[in-house]
């Protein structure tokens, strides 16, 4: 099923279930915020797509962004005296961009198709072992990278499909790794992938005492937002 979504290119990958606070000051995204608040945009939902390093969507079009993204649902908004906004959103549904339109609105819009997870038939005992291993890799990473209180474990009843995204949300994984996790539609393979990535990053932290630079640090033309 296809739909038309407002698109917000950012230097990050939004994961389903992850919180995303934004400070909105560029005029076109102020207008997007107004349209979300007034229900001009259905369900207060817009699409977040990650900008490719070294590119600008305004200059490069679809070549400047990854075409699999995640919708963000507006949860709260505070208008500042000068017309800027501080908003809080949460990731919801993955989608693939089929077509872009830079003329219909002040901001970019796109025709998208939503990407459900594939249904697998993995042995439940194997899935339980993978979940335990991924959770342990997350604990070790967070204890190495953050101070106590800067992170929390996902609830015990977190659905399998959501768990890898939440585990990755606490960790400064490089953008290409986060993008591959977002694009993975097999929940069990996504769990394997996040466990492997967290173990790798923990090893780097222990050896180098360093974390990846935020995406865009070395970009040639960062977004105004």
């Amino acid at each position: 099923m296809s739909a038309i979504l407002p698109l917000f290119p950012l230097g990050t990958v939004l994961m389903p279930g992850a919180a995303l606070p934004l400070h909105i000051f560029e005029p076109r995204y102020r207008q997007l915020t107004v349209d979300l608040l007034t229900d001009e945009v259905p369900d207060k939902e817009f699409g977040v797509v990650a900008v490719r390093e070294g590119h600008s969507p305004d200059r490069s079009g679809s070549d400047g962004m990854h075409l699999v993204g995640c919708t963000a649902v507006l949860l709260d908004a505070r208008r500042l005296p000068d017309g800027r906004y501080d908003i809080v959103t949460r990731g919801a549904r993955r989608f693939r961009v089929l077509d872009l339109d830079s003329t219909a609105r002040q901001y970019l819009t796109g025709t998208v198709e939503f990407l459900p997870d594939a249904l697998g038939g993995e042995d439940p005992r194997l899935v339980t072992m993978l979940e335990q291993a991924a959770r342990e890799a997350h604990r070790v990473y967070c204890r190495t990278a953050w101070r106590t209180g800067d992170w929390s474990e996902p609830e015990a009843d977190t659905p399998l499909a959501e768990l890898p995204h939440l585990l990755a949300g606490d960790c400064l994984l490089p953008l290409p790794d986060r993008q591959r996790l977002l694009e993975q539609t097999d929940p069990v393979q996504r769990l394997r992938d996040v466990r492997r990535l967290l173990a790798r990053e923990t090893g780097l932290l222990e050896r180098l005492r360093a974390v990846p630079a935020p995406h865009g640090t070395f970009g040639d033309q960062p977004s105004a937002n």
Side-chain angles (χ1 to χ4, degrees), residues 8-30:
F8 198 148
L10 286 173
T12 189
V13 177
L14 176 62
M15 299 282 192
L20 178 66
L22 293 168
H23 177 67
I24 306 296
F25 57 87
E26 193 174 346
R28 55 183 162 176
Y29 297 121
R30 292 191 199 185

Side-chain angles (χ1 to χ4, degrees), residues 22 24 33-34 36-37 44 74-80 84-89:
L22 293 168
I24 306 296
T33 304
V34 171
L36 292 165
L37 290 170
K44 294 183 168 55
L74 180 66
L75 301 179
D76 190 30
R78 181 168 67 95
R79 188 179 188 276
L80 304 177
R84 293 172 296 137
Y85 287 89
D86 286 330
I87 69 174
V88 178
T89 72

Side-chain angles (χ1 to χ4, degrees), residues 23-174:
H23 177 67
I24 306 296
F25 57 87
E26 193 174 346
R28 55 183 162 176
Y29 297 121
R30 292 191 199 185
Q31 183 60 54
L32 171 58
T33 304
V34 171
D35 290 351
L36 292 165
L37 290 170
T38 59
D39 294 323
E40 180 71 19
V41 174
D43 303 319
K44 294 183 168 55
E45 189 175 30
F46 62 98
V48 172
V49 288
V51 177
R52 296 182 184 275
E53 190 162 4
H55 285 270
S56 162
D58 291 336
R59 187 181 65 252
S60 306
S62 61
D63 291 337
M65 65 184 77
H66 292 276
L67 296 183
V68 173
C70 180
T71 64
V73 177
L74 180 66
L75 301 179
D76 190 30
R78 181 168 67 95
R79 188 179 188 276
L80 304 177
D82 62 359
R84 293 172 296 137
Y85 287 89
D86 286 330
I87 69 174
V88 178
T89 72
R90 185 171 299 279
R93 299 186 286 173
R94 291 171 306 166
F95 62 85
R96 185 188 309 279
V97 177
L98 302 176
D99 191 31
L100 295 174
D101 188 343
S102 60
T103 61
R105 302 271 185 163
Q106 187 174 347
Y107 44 81
L108 186 66
T109 63
T111 302
V112 308
E113 62 178 358
F114 294 103
L115 299 178
D117 271 335
L119 298 178
E122 296 281 359
D123 184 335
R125 293 171 296 179
L126 173 62
V127 173
T128 298
M129 292 173 58
L130 288 172
E131 179 176 342
Q132 291 171 348
R135 284 179 175 274
E136 179 58 22
H138 174 259
R139 291 187 200 102
V140 174
Y141 175 96
C142 290
R143 288 169 184 162
T144 305
W146 312 126
R147 295 171 299 183
T148 301
D150 286 349
W151 61 279
S152 60
E153 295 189 42
E155 298 294 334
D157 59 353
T158 300
L160 172 65
E162 298 177 14
L163 181 61
H165 293 138
L166 295 180
L167 296 178
D170 279 332
C171 307
L172 293 178
L173 294 173

